[in-house]
Amino acid sequence: MAKLYHVPLSPFCRKVRLSLAEKKIECELVEERYWEQDPDFLRRNPAAKVPVLKIDGKIMAESSAICEWIEEKYPEPALMPRSADARYEVRRIVAWFDDKFHQEVTSKLLYERVNKKIMKAGFPDSTNVKAGAKAIKYHLDYMAWLLDHRRWLAGDNMTLADFAAAAHLSALDYISDVDWNRSEVVKDWYAKIKSRPAFRAILQDQVPGFPPPAHYADLDF
Amino acid sequence: MAKLYHVPLSPFCRKVRLSLAEKKIECELVEERYWEQDPDFLRRNPAAKVPVLKIDGKIMAESSAICEWIEEKYPEPALMPRSADARYEVRRIVAWFDDKFHQEVTSKLLYERVNKKIMKAGFPDSTNVKAGAKAIKYHLDYMAWLLDHRRWLAGDNMTLADFAAAAHLSALDYISDVDWNRSEVVKDWYAKIKSRPAFRAILQDQVPGFPPPAHYADLDF
């Protein structure tokens, strides 16, 4: 069986978990405290990051490269459209979340509030937390603008772009940092994606010391 | 004709320029001082980053999404292998350079020494410069390890992975921050890629206030 080395709230791990689950690829989850630099783990991935996926005799790192590989090896159900233009749009939005959103929001809220405590790396920096809380509004508005024109973030079908976005937002929702009342279309989009069977395991995640709010796993939030 | 909004030493822009040139797609270069947040430019790309490519009636951002699009629309000569496993390895290495190398090396050397001056954002932080100068050694050793096993970084053919790496290293070489004597195989690899016609325009780049060293454009460096 495939094995995924991960941490529960990592958006990059969640994106891979969603891809695997959507394609019904069974996978054992192994929590990996990568910041403790266990030598065995470093041998699996010299970049010392999660996710690391062990599958079909291969060991892989880098979430986007992993998701493209999964898509090419397990094409059904498709998470990438067919045309080059539509595929570009998916990849652009994945990069938007994994780069820009991650830098402006996820690293400023989740990493300050949760990772620092787990890694024993000090207290949240309130300047960062404030900046992240401000930036997420702009990103939710950008999503709303996209969803005013499309059923899903990158077009009329659900794709990896939706999983990348939902991976970040679900991790932030675990610490109540998403204002779902800001936009009706974004809330509807999240309700749709949250109710997919592929999302179930993510809604059951529990991080010791950080109990999730009641609405986190509620499909009718 | 295609138009690329870029800055000359940006490794992300260089990666796209190399892809376009290798495929002989003619392209006009437009320098874009993106940090000045010109409203016209922001309209082209809400992420306010370069590169932005205008081609075939489309406007595109995010260098890796652009390069995958170019590959799909203009497949010859191929910069991606055929098998899913080999494609994974290309994407992993592209991400290695654009994420890890960028964060540990490029942002610590090039951005401190050059971008800060051009953007009038203060003086180089010597702690960062020292960290970058130390980290590049480890990355050159990792490249040497890969190249001991393979002709090119991701396998036996030249791919996007080589362009991603060469884009970062050439920008750092412009400010003499690469020690080519550290590894014979890495130097040989760079000599091979540097002598390709696709590399010519990059070797002619000139940044006002930062004249390149003599060896920068020398194919026999």
Side-chain angles (χ1 to χ4, degrees):
Chain A
M1 202 196 334
K3 227 182 220 182
L4 184 72
Y5 300 87
H6 83 129
V7 294
L9 294 187
S10 153
F12 303 102
C13 298
R14 287 184 164 210
K15 184 178 61 174
V16 173
R17 288 165 70 191
L18 289 168
S19 283
L20 291 167
E22 187 71 23
K23 288 167 188 287
K24 300 199 169 54
I25 302 168
E26 278 195 70
C27 181
E28 181 192 339
L29 292 177
V30 182
E31 232 181 290
E32 182 63 61
R33 300 170 69 85
Y34 61 91
W35 57 92
E36 291 173 357
Q37 308 247 326
D38 173 56
D40 267 358
F41 181 67
L42 290 178
R43 209 160 26 243
R44 283 190 292 270
N45 179 17
K49 296 194 298 190
V50 287
V52 167
L53 179 64
K54 229 171 134 175
I55 189 171
D56 299 354
K58 288 176 66 73
I59 297 184
M60 296 188 285
E62 295 295 346
S63 70
S64 287
I66 292 174
C67 288
E68 296 263 9
W69 181 90
I70 294 173
E71 193 59 29
E72 294 182 358
K73 286 289 234 188
Y74 300 87
E76 298 297 333
L79 291 172
M80 282 290 272
R82 293 260 180 107
S83 82
D85 286 355
R87 293 161 73 82
Y88 157 75
E89 183 64 356
V90 173
R91 292 181 176 125
R92 179 186 75 81
I93 292 174
V94 170
W96 177 286
F97 281 93
D98 286 351
D99 272 14
K100 190 175 170 70
F101 187 93
H102 176 256
Q103 194 183 322
E104 296 175 0
V105 182
T106 311
S107 71
K108 300 233 166 18
L109 294 173
L110 187 70
Y111 294 3
E112 290 292 340
R113 289 198 213 272
V114 179
N115 297 31
K116 271 190 170 174
K117 188 171 175 195
I118 296 177
M119 297 177 183
K120 302 190 169 74
F123 295 98
D125 175 326
S126 66
T127 313
N128 280 343
V129 172
K130 261 182 223 159
K134 191 177 163 197
I136 194 174
K137 293 180 189 168
Y138 153 77
H139 284 279
L140 291 171
D141 292 348
Y142 180 58
M143 290 176 73
W145 180 81
L146 290 174
L147 291 166
D148 273 338
H149 298 76
R150 307 164 170 179
R151 290 185 52 214
W152 296 90
L153 286 176
D156 281 338
N157 296 304
M158 190 188 69
T159 64
L160 267 178
D162 299 287
F163 282 179
H168 284 269
L169 287 172
S170 64
L172 292 165
D173 193 39
Y174 188 96
I175 52 170
S176 298
D177 267 336
V178 184
D179 173 11
W180 296 114
N181 292 322
R182 189 167 177 91
S183 152
E184 199 69 29
V185 283
V186 174
K187 190 178 178 180
D188 288 350
W189 164 86
Y190 192 59
K192 267 196 296 184
I193 207 162
K194 196 175 180 179
S195 64
R196 297 188 80 81
F199 229 82
R200 263 178 225 153
I202 278 176
L203 297 180
Q204 283 157 17
D205 279 345
Q206 291 276 351
V207 181
F210 294 92
H215 76 266
Y216 173 71
D218 186 357
L219 296 184
D220 193 22
F221 56 108
Chain B
M1 200 194 339
K3 228 181 217 182
L4 184 74
Y5 299 87
H6 83 130
V7 294
L9 295 185
S10 153
F12 303 103
C13 298
R14 287 183 164 211
K15 184 178 62 175
V16 174
R17 288 165 69 190
L18 288 169
S19 283
L20 291 167
E22 188 70 23
K23 290 169 187 286
K24 301 201 169 53
I25 303 169
E26 278 193 69
C27 181
E28 182 192 339
L29 293 175
V30 182
E31 234 181 289
E32 183 62 62
R33 300 171 70 86
Y34 61 90
W35 57 92
E36 291 174 356
Q37 307 245 331
D38 173 57
D40 265 357
F41 181 66
L42 291 177
R43 208 161 26 242
R44 282 190 293 270
N45 178 19
K49 295 194 299 189
V50 286
V52 167
L53 178 64
K54 229 172 135 175
I55 189 171
D56 299 354
K58 288 177 66 72
I59 297 184
M60 297 189 284
E62 294 296 344
S63 69
S64 287
I66 293 174
C67 288
E68 296 262 8
W69 182 91
I70 294 174
E71 193 60 27
E72 293 183 359
K73 286 291 235 188
Y74 300 87
E76 299 298 335
L79 291 172
M80 283 290 273
R82 294 259 180 105
S83 83
D85 286 356
R87 292 161 73 82
Y88 158 73
E89 184 64 357
V90 172
R91 291 179 176 126
R92 179 187 75 83
I93 293 175
V94 170
W96 177 286
F97 281 92
D98 286 351
D99 272 14
K100 191 174 170 70
F101 187 94
H102 176 256
Q103 193 182 324
E104 296 175 0
V105 182
T106 311
S107 71
K108 299 231 165 22
L109 293 173
L110 187 72
Y111 294 3
E112 290 292 342
R113 289 198 212 272
V114 179
N115 297 29
K116 270 192 171 174
K117 188 170 173 195
I118 294 177
M119 296 177 184
K120 302 193 168 74
F123 295 99
D125 175 325
S126 65
T127 314
N128 280 343
V129 171
K130 264 184 218 155
K134 191 176 162 198
I136 194 174
K137 293 180 188 169
Y138 154 77
H139 284 278
L140 290 172
D141 292 350
Y142 180 59
M143 291 176 74
W145 181 81
L146 290 174
L147 292 166
D148 274 339
H149 298 76
R150 306 163 170 180
R151 289 184 54 215
W152 295 90
L153 286 175
D156 282 337
N157 296 304
M158 190 187 71
T159 65
L160 266 178
D162 300 287
F163 282 179
H168 284 269
L169 287 172
S170 64
L172 291 165
D173 193 38
Y174 188 96
I175 52 171
S176 298
D177 266 336
V178 185
D179 174 11
W180 296 114
N181 292 321
R182 190 168 176 90
S183 154
E184 197 70 28
V185 284
V186 175
K187 189 178 177 179
D188 287 350
W189 164 85
Y190 191 59
K192 267 196 296 186
I193 208 163
K194 196 174 179 179
S195 63
R196 297 188 80 83
F199 229 81
R200 261 177 227 154
I202 278 177
L203 298 181
Q204 283 157 16
D205 280 345
Q206 292 277 351
V207 181
F210 294 92
H215 75 267
Y216 173 72
D218 186 357
L219 297 184
D220 192 22
F221 56 108

